[in-house]
Amino acid sequence: MRILGVVKGQLGAAAVLALFLLGAGAGGVSGQEGLGKTTYDKWCSGCHGVDGDGRGVAAEYMLPRPRDFTLALYQIRTTASGELPTDADIRRIIDVGMPTTTMPGWEDLLSEAERDALVDYLKTFSRFFGQGDEPQAIDFGRATKVSDAVLTEGREQYQVMECFKCHGEFGRGDGTSATTLEDAGSFPIRAADLTENWKFNGGGSVEDIFRRLRTGLDGTPMPSYQDVVDAGVITEEQLWSVAHYVRSLAPEDAPGIDEVIRAELIQDAALPTTADDPAWDEVSVSYIPLVGQIIVSPRWFDPRVDGLWVQAMHDGQELAMRIRWSDPSQSPDPDWAEWKARIIDLMAPKEGDPPEAGPTPDRLVVQFPKEVPTGLERPYFLMGDQRNPVYQWRWRSDQPGAVEAEARGLGTATPLPSAEQAVTASATFADGQWTLMLRRPITTESVSDLDFTTGEAIPVAFFAWDGDNGESGTRAAISSWYFVFLEEPTPATVFIAPLAAFAITGGLGLLVVGRARKREQEGIVTEDETPDEA
Amino acid sequence: MFDGIDLKKVLAATVAVFIATGCGGGGDGGGDSGGGAAAVENPVDAATAGNISGSIAFEGDAPAMQTIDMEEEPVCADKHASTPMTEDVVVNDNGTLANVFVYVKEGLESLQFPTPSQPVMLDQNGCMYRPHVLGVMAGQDITIKNSDGLLHNINASPTENRGFNMSQPVAMEGTRSFRVAEVMVPLRCDVHGWMTAYIGVLDHPFHAVSGGDDVARLACQRTDQPADGTLVFRPALGLHDRVEPCSGEHSPGKTL
């Protein structure tokens, strides 16, 4: 259920964006020239264009751009590289969408007849369909069994096939070639973050990954490895090992969305002093999904940071929070300068105010209300408003430490007086991942910040920017409000009560048993005496 | 074969000369070769065959090409005696333009030519495509070789044909072909973003690529009936069409 929840949540976000963008482009249904056309014109043309060329009115807000059906280039297929997809291939993507794009799944929104009709209609956009034989799905065989040896083999083949050049050593999409990747439309495209298999286009199972290795993803830089097998460079079994290894880079289960981040109470040890302290390995992790900020102009439709892994702990005196996220570069990184320029050229101009000039760092903000709300009402999640300000921890990759600030709306953050700054930061960047630890006393003398309290759900929200992706200001990735809950020390009554209950229960039990024995003895006497009485 | 610039055969039909640099866009109409009329197989008449040749002169200041940073690929860097440069526009020392694809554009629709059984070779060597521009016939095999022994992918993006995206992580070869005529099919290595190549796919064998010297020769029968040819510069220079007659005015050495 948790997995389903996440998938639905993520697709939901994509669907919201797609439908939001579709608003201007739907343009009404043009006639009744068939169910496929009417369905397409109503739901698909806003992005993919009336003529199927991927140039709908909403297309320029999207990256990757919507598919150009006239080229008949389909990423997710069961057919060989360069071949057309089967009907089932097209139908599957209509049903489940493409998680790393704005393409939502339509399984719950359109009828089966409508989705079937769409398959037929999409094919009419390209003359390639209808030429020659029907596309035939490849027989991919059965997945091999996974074991430590298989994963070791997969890791070795990952190196031999140099997958790291795009996907990075640890699969976070930070390879040296990732900065120049383009799709078939010459638009920049990211190397997949292999640690997030639940977002893979085409599915994240071992079987899905193997299919992508065999077929490639047409229209993207991801090639097919079929020739490598055919040439005897590696065996099909080794290719399965690569699939197993890639699968192993992601968590066993897709993360659930935790509403509450539990800050565990540490009583017998000191709080971690660094972001990579092993003590963090013992603390539970919450996943916080992020989406692009598309409410306040300039909006941002291409956020790089799409999720945070958050941990927290406290010792009754200080609260420590560790946040990790994938990011292919330590911004500003000159190797990504060209990428950044291209993203800005594509995504920024139509949104008015130009992005921040010059090198832009990575940034992260942790946000709380300025006061713990007594009811359900919280400040506006986009950094509050004039009436209800928020209190923030602000970190950026080009400066040491972090800054506490107050904000009354996006772009209004004002640092607290230096005498009241109490938050500290420790950050490391390695292998396409930031790891940031922030610490602050639970209570302070400042009247401008928030005094944390234990045993209470305190609202918390997050903002992230990837500077090398052209993000600054309102061009950010954002979360909604979540909660952080600082565990309370376990009261003595928690330990005493069970003992007392045990003692009472035991005492009562002995009493009952004693009385029963007494009655039994009395009963025996009575029985002995009864015959005489009778 | 495509390093050669001398085409020995001459056409027995009115033809047009099409001169295009490597990545000149714009298809030639594509589609299946032959047309509707009954095709004549291998119609070259040696008795009337001849040659045409021309220089591809570059006028003005040659644009500066960018240096390629191969620091991440020392195996490739070591194969270059000097700093490798991009090949968008290669102007020879004598002012002529290299990598110009020259072919007969029109006039052969009713003719049919056998597909060569010999494949053409496209090598990846020093993290560069060799050659940068080549021509093949539709259906003719292209052997794609990786001489570098490190990861290349060959991502072909045609519009008239189906593309492909082949991985070659080690020294190996693969074979592909294109079904119908298309000028030009761009190829790209996504691992090394500077690696590009262009393939002219034709339904006849009359094509050539200007090399490192100066001349591209093209089969073209002199005829009194003028036909049109087109000169197309690659996008790096801006796209320009230029009509040239394929007629008696085309004396050898004429600068187009």
Side-chain angles (χ1 to χ4, degrees), chain A residues 127-128, chain B residues 158-163 177-182 185 201:
Chain A
R127 59 186 172 77
F128 286 114
Chain B
T159 56
E160 305 299 319
N161 290 276
R162 298 301 298 168
S177 64
F178 295 102
R179 196 172 67 86
V180 299
E182 181 173 354
V185 175
V201 185

Side-chain angles (χ1 to χ4, degrees), chain B residues 27-83:
Chain B
D28 63 351
D32 293 324
S33 59
V40 179
E41 179 92 14
N42 196 16
V44 176
D45 179 3
T48 59
N51 293 328
I52 187 171
S53 63
S55 297
I56 315 298
F58 185 88
E59 297 176 356
D61 297 329
M65 293 294 97
Q66 295 182 330
T67 59
I68 300 171
D69 181 3
M70 292 191 186
E71 187 181 359
E72 298 283 346
E73 300 288 14
V75 170
C76 290
D78 290 347
K79 291 185 175 183
H80 296 273
S82 57
T83 304

Side-chain angles (χ1 to χ4, degrees), chain A residues 80 99 168 256 379 409 441 454 503 514 532-533:
Chain A
T454 59
D532 295 340
E533 290 178 355

